[in-house]
Amino acid sequence: MVTYRGAQNYLPDTLDLLSLETAARGCRGCDLFKAAEQTVFGAGPADAGLMLVGEQPGNEEDLEGEPFVGPAGRLLDKALAAAGVERDAVYVTNAVKHFRFDRAAGGKRRIHKKPSGGQVTACRPWLAAELDVVRPDVVVCLGVTAARALIEKNFTLTAHRGEVLHLDEELRGTLDPRVVATIHPSAALRAHVDRTAAFESLVRDLQRAAGLL
Ligand code: URA
Ligand code: SF4
């Protein structure tokens, strides 16, 4: 059995976004690199004041190598526009850098599967390094996976959504951005929810976060 030790050993000596992205392409810190097409690293300016953190790349992100370019990304773009936030000025990344999926029975379709706690922990050095380089003033966790990676491992949105919080102590170091958790944009795409209400609530949280800048 192979043991995976997490991303720590794959970090480059010099930390900047290009060295990180390049190094992350070769990461074998957990088992997820095997089935996915490629590492999907964060994207955006190194001097962004606002950092958005999702869960993990989806099918389209895995194929294109860019975060939030699929259906959830298109909804996020709309929400950012509605909140008056310029997407190009924001640094966008994920808690986990490889797509985890199951194959649909008999089919080719790849179905998103939530990353395990161990995989989130394994991938966290990349997120910590991105925080170190970008040093954002405000971080938005899109969904509970990001919030558990960044704020507290038992975090729930029902209890703390929209509150202005801090990073987990382990990540804080010399950096203490304000951190807000909201729903994942894909939660506003589900069939059984009131999508308009979910979208509007996402916009409100993004507005509140941008207002902290
Ligand atoms: N969902 C995410 O959490 N991140 C992406 O990059 C795409 C979909
Ligand atoms: Fe490395 Fe993260 Fe990919 Fe696992 S998911 S192999 S820790 S980049």
Side-chain angles (χ1 to χ4, degrees):
M1 212 191 91
V2 193
T3 321
Y4 297 101
R5 296 171 190 280
Q8 196 61 45
N9 293 332
Y10 297 88
L11 290 184
D13 295 330
T14 354
L15 298 189
D16 58 57
L17 291 180
L18 185 62
S19 68
L20 284 173
E21 179 172 14
T22 307
R25 283 188 209 135
C27 184
R28 298 184 163 210
C30 76
D31 60 332
L32 290 181
F33 75 91
K34 286 191 284 181
E37 283 299 317
Q38 58 188 316
T39 307
V40 179
F41 208 70
D47 62 353
L50 181 61
M51 182 185 283
L52 304 185
V53 184
E55 183 195 68
Q56 62 169 351
N59 183 60
E60 290 184 38
E61 289 79 14
D62 179 58
L63 298 174
E64 290 188 35
E66 293 292 325
F68 282 107
V69 291
R74 288 189 281 279
L75 194 92
L76 178 62
D77 285 352
K78 273 201 250 172
L80 286 170
V85 178
E86 197 196 328
R87 158 116 192 210
D88 290 347
V90 173
Y91 187 83
V92 179
T93 191
N94 285 299
V96 169
K97 281 14 179 204
H98 274 105
F99 179 35
R100 187 184 196 197
F101 59 91
D102 276 332
R103 294 262 175 207
K108 281 196 147 181
R109 212 160 70 82
R110 305 187 300 172
I111 298 166
H112 165 276
K113 187 174 180 190
K114 230 174 145 52
S116 71
Q119 289 160 341
V120 174
T121 303
C123 210
R124 213 161 67 136
W126 294 120
L127 194 52
E130 288 172 295
L131 283 165
D132 242 16
V133 170
V134 178
R135 304 188 71 79
D137 298 312
V138 178
V139 178
V140 176
C141 301
L142 299 169
V144 74
T145 299
R148 288 182 177 172
L150 287 174
I151 303 168
E152 208 269 308
K153 72 176 190 307
N154 298 315
F155 188 92
T156 62
L157 281 171
T158 39
H160 298 296
R161 174 179 182 179
E163 291 177 10
V164 182
L165 303 166
H166 295 273
L167 291 175
D168 181 287
E169 247 172 66
E170 258 178 54
L171 289 167
R172 224 176 290 164
T174 61
L175 182 82
D176 192 16
R178 278 148 294 182
V179 186
V180 176
T182 184
I183 55 168
H184 191 282
S186 65
L189 291 169
R190 292 203 188 106
H192 61 272
V193 302
D194 178 341
R195 293 187 216 178
T196 307
F199 178 79
E200 285 169 358
S201 72
L202 173 61
V203 172
R204 275 197 302 277
D205 286 344
L206 290 171
Q207 260 166 345
R208 192 173 314 141
L212 299 169
L213 285 169

